[in-house]
Amino acid sequence: MYDHEVRWYALVPVAMLVAFAHIFAEAGGWYPQADVRPDWFWCLAFIAALRTPPTQAIVAFFTCGLIRDILVGPRLGAAAIAFLLIGYLTLSWRILASQRNYASQCLLAAVTAFLVAMLKHSLDYGGLTYKLIDRVFLLSLGDAVLTLAAYVPMSLILSLDSFRPWKERSGF
């Protein structure tokens, strides 16, 4: 399972390409009128972290969250903190997902995307979260469903050699 390591020279530019694709999709009106959005960055971090050692996986989660915060926004640090905390939780569940089939990986991606969206929206709303908990829940549920829909094509694209954010581990 840990026979790969993150290619940082591929992960960061791919995350930036994902950010620009997200911005163009937002400006082009490809998303529904609601405030739900697929979290492509979570898919990228999740896919990169499935095969890498825990230390590199945590840094990949934080890197993708930070790039999402810087280029997409709205509040600096919200996604990075959410990616870091839920990424740490994901590390304990990824062993089950990686040993099973692709459907369990998709399920884990959707569940963790829901948790990331809950935490990210809670950090975005700040002190108003307890008043808007039903809105936060519904937005997070919508984000998780769209992230699940985005996970399948994203995992296929990231399995190509030029976009793959991991490489075989060099011999120790």
Side-chain angles (χ1 to χ4, degrees):
M1 182 165 131
Y2 300 138
D3 55 343
H4 295 82
E5 56 189 16
V6 174
R7 290 190 315 167
W8 299 108
Y9 59 88
L11 182 70
V12 173
V14 168
M16 293 174 93
L17 282 173
V18 167
F20 290 127
H22 180 86
I23 291 169
F24 288 137
E26 181 88 27
W30 294 349
Y31 293 134
Q33 293 298 326
D35 290 333
V36 295
R37 306 284 185 262
D39 203 344
W40 298 351
F41 297 94
W42 180 254
C43 294
L44 177 63
F46 184 81
I47 291 167
L50 270 181
R51 299 183 181 185
T52 58
T55 307
Q56 289 186 8
I58 285 292
V59 176
F61 283 126
F62 182 73
T63 302
C64 288
L66 190 63
I67 290 173
R68 186 200 187 287
D69 280 336
I70 291 171
L71 294 178
V72 177
R75 182 171 278 187
L76 188 62
I81 292 170
F83 277 35
L84 191 62
L85 293 176
I86 304 303
Y88 185 73
L89 181 67
T90 303
L91 290 179
S92 61
W93 291 340
R94 76 176 176 160
I95 296 170
L96 292 173
S98 65
Q99 291 174 350
R100 299 190 194 262
N101 54 11
Y102 188 70
S104 65
Q105 289 179 10
C106 291
L107 179 67
L108 180 62
V111 168
T112 55
F114 172 75
L115 294 174
V116 164
M118 281 285 289
L119 187 57
K120 185 174 61 69
H121 289 307
S122 297
L123 290 171
D124 283 340
Y125 290 135
L128 294 174
T129 301
Y130 73 95
K131 292 181 181 178
L132 302 171
I133 195 68
D134 56 340
R135 178 172 169 76
V136 169
F137 181 80
L138 289 176
L139 283 175
S140 301
L141 192 61
D143 287 349
V145 168
L146 288 178
T147 301
L148 176 63
Y151 178 75
V152 175
M154 189 105 171
S155 65
L156 293 174
I157 290 171
L158 290 176
S159 66
L160 299 172
D161 286 336
S162 58
F163 291 113
R164 193 172 13 195
W166 61 86
K167 66 178 177 177
E168 294 295 324
R169 182 174 264 225
S170 55
F172 286 15

